[in-house]
Amino acid sequence: MKLHKESKGTITVATILFVILGALAIYFLKMWSLLIILPLLVIYSLVFWFFRVPNREILDHKENVIAPVDGKVVMIKEVDEDEFIKGKAIQVSIFMSPLNVHICRYPVSGKVIYKKYHPGKYLVAWHEKSSTENERTTVAVESLTNHKVVFRQIAGYVARRIVFYCNEGDAAKAGHEFGFIKFGSRMDVFLPLDTEIVCKIGDITKGGLDVIARMKDN
């Protein structure tokens, strides 16, 4: 199984803790040490599972808006996007549990025209205010259909590290990686009002594969 590059530090710390706690359990508990070692082994395995990189065949897209992450659609709503669009947009929010793949992908193809990191709070990721008050990043892409699409990584109560690798001027390719969030979080996508939304609240998405909306080609 391939592991994400962001796993290195976390897995190193997890390995050290597992060895130390396992050794202490064996030394002090002898035959009863398995009561400690087995739960530790489950947790240790989950750390590796969290950082997995699945093999996915990413297709080329123009009008399609692709799910940027694995997770569950928790919001589809008309909102005011005040940071970049500065007007009405359709917000599609996808919540990621700690068990989901946490690779963040471009929802559309085009050109990156804006990026910004915002420090903030750590409200639970499904809280509506987390979109504007939590630690987050905002990226905007001028799509191949000549629309401005904004998407936002949002840290949750557990997630305390957001990374994004894109820069203004970069080519964005729908379904391809642009960042990563550790341990539970949310991602919002802001789309033009005339976008055809093809997902619904409660849908389970696969990042890079599932189509969540379609935009008209201007």
Side-chain angles (χ1 to χ4, degrees):
M1 179 178 64
K2 184 178 178 182
L3 296 176
H4 196 274
K5 61 184 179 181
E6 296 294 336
S7 67
K8 185 176 180 180
T10 302
I11 287 178
T12 298
V13 172
T15 300
I16 293 171
L17 289 175
F18 178 72
V19 171
I20 292 174
L21 294 175
L24 290 173
I26 293 171
Y27 181 79
F28 287 107
L29 300 178
K30 302 296 189 288
M31 63 177 294
W32 298 102
S33 61
L34 286 178
L35 296 175
I36 301 297
I37 292 174
L38 289 179
L40 286 176
L41 185 59
V42 171
I43 295 171
Y44 186 57
S45 299
L46 286 174
V47 173
F48 281 83
W49 180 250
F50 175 84
F51 286 104
R52 68 197 184 278
V53 179
N55 290 322
R56 292 181 180 172
E57 183 179 357
I58 308 299
L59 304 177
D60 291 331
H61 297 276
K62 184 177 181 181
E63 294 90 356
N64 289 339
V65 180
I66 304 303
V69 290
D70 290 24
K72 181 179 180 180
V73 178
V74 295
M75 183 186 297
I76 302 172
K77 183 178 181 181
E78 183 178 316
V79 298
D80 288 305
E81 201 295 306
D82 296 327
E83 181 177 350
F84 184 82
I85 296 174
K86 300 189 185 304
K88 298 287 186 181
I90 300 175
Q91 176 181 332
V92 179
S93 299
I94 300 174
F95 173 73
M96 295 169 276
S97 80
L99 296 179
N100 287 125
V101 174
H102 272 55
I103 295 170
C104 299
R105 306 171 187 272
Y106 290 109
V108 295
S109 295
K111 180 181 179 181
V112 177
I113 55 176
Y114 176 84
K115 62 170 282 189
K116 189 171 183 178
Y117 167 79
H118 303 270
K121 300 178 182 179
Y122 295 98
L123 301 172
V124 289
W126 58 82
H127 196 295
E128 188 170 347
K129 289 186 177 179
S130 66
S131 182
T132 55
E133 296 185 10
N134 276 23
E135 178 186 3
R136 61 200 182 278
T137 69
T138 302
V139 178
V141 166
E142 181 78 37
S143 73
L144 296 180
T145 56
N146 298 309
H147 294 95
K148 292 179 174 60
V149 175
V150 172
F151 41 99
R152 187 169 291 145
Q153 297 169 295
I154 302 169
Y157 182 74
V158 178
R160 298 296 169 119
R161 177 165 168 75
I162 300 175
V163 292
F164 63 144
Y165 315 118
C166 61
N167 292 297
E168 291 182 19
D170 286 355
K173 294 184 178 181
H176 290 258
E177 181 180 357
F178 80 90
F180 194 90
I181 313 178
K182 291 187 178 181
F183 301 118
S185 44
R186 192 175 110 190
M187 194 155 170
D188 294 344
V189 182
F190 298 88
L191 300 164
L193 292 179
D194 62 352
T195 301
E196 177 191 1
I197 305 298
V198 298
C199 64
K200 62 184 183 298
I201 292 176
D203 282 357
I204 304 301
T205 61
K206 289 290 186 183
L209 298 180
D210 293 337
V211 177
I212 61 172
R214 294 186 182 91
M215 296 188 297
K216 297 179 180 179
D217 189 0
N218 288 342

